[in-house]
Amino acid sequence: MRIRLATWNINSVRLRIDQVARYVAEQAPDVLCLQEIKCQEGEFPREAFAEMGLPHLAISGQKGWHGVAIASRLPFEPGPKLDLCRHGHARCVSVVVEGIEIQNFYIPAGGDVPDREVNPKFDHKLDFFERLTAIAAARDPKAPLLIAGDLNVAPGEFDVWSHRQMLKIVSHTPAEIEAMTRLMAAGQFIDLVREAVPEPQKLFSWWSYRAADFRASNRGLRLDHLWVTPGLRDAAFRLGAAAARVHDDVREWDRPSDHAPVSADLVI
């Protein structure tokens, strides 16, 4: 059985519901993890998702800001509720699909100043990572877990348009890279997209709206991730290689999100 999982920071699900429907029609994800839905649970366009063939919904919404959701073709059970955001933002939701725990995150961006002593937003971001790392370290790595979402860190030299220039910019600073590295080590996570597209190939999932032509400037960052624990290694590599990709063509659509969807296939 193949399960296609996708993650997408949609930057307002109601504003871009037609784009979601187009992506679902073209790529047929079985489970779609969304971030920045920017609506409360009662405002979520449930009927539209049912029409897409994704009727099973887990939603953690918030008025005007943040918000995450998981839409699935397959029935699921609720996953654990994780206490990760000290401000109580709607930044995480989880489900269990076909025995696979899926955790969907929108980790704080962190503001502009990469100093947790003077910037509470940056401190909040690192605190979120630290809490998640402690939870990951306490888990059995053989248990099937997939982490999806906008983790707001581009960890590698080839995940940013300019490693040298970005080292002082929030999203690629040493403190954030170290926090993500500790999280990956704690859960023994496998980065499926990088397994499919190895370094040194540059790979991005976000491009600023400021560029008139995002491909021409190509000043991107890889902020959106799909990771699995060793318990899902066989499922991820069943066909001999990881089947994961960034759907950067979606960034070309009219009035796009600044993020492109990322997908991966598991065979269980």
Side-chain angles (χ1 to χ4, degrees), residues 26-46:
E26 292 182 2
Q27 299 300 329
D30 297 294
V31 181
L32 176 60
C33 298
L34 297 172
Q35 304 87 42
E36 278 203 278
I37 61 172
K38 295 185 176 178
C39 67
Q40 299 177 83
E41 285 90 338
E43 299 167 326
F44 193 86
R46 293 172 179 269

Side-chain angles (χ1 to χ4, degrees), residues 180-199:
M180 180 170 274
T181 300
R182 287 193 293 269
L183 171 58
M184 292 196 75
Q188 300 180 35
F189 290 112
I190 302 161
D191 181 346
L192 293 182
V193 179
R194 264 301 171 208
E195 290 289 335
V197 186
E199 295 181 341

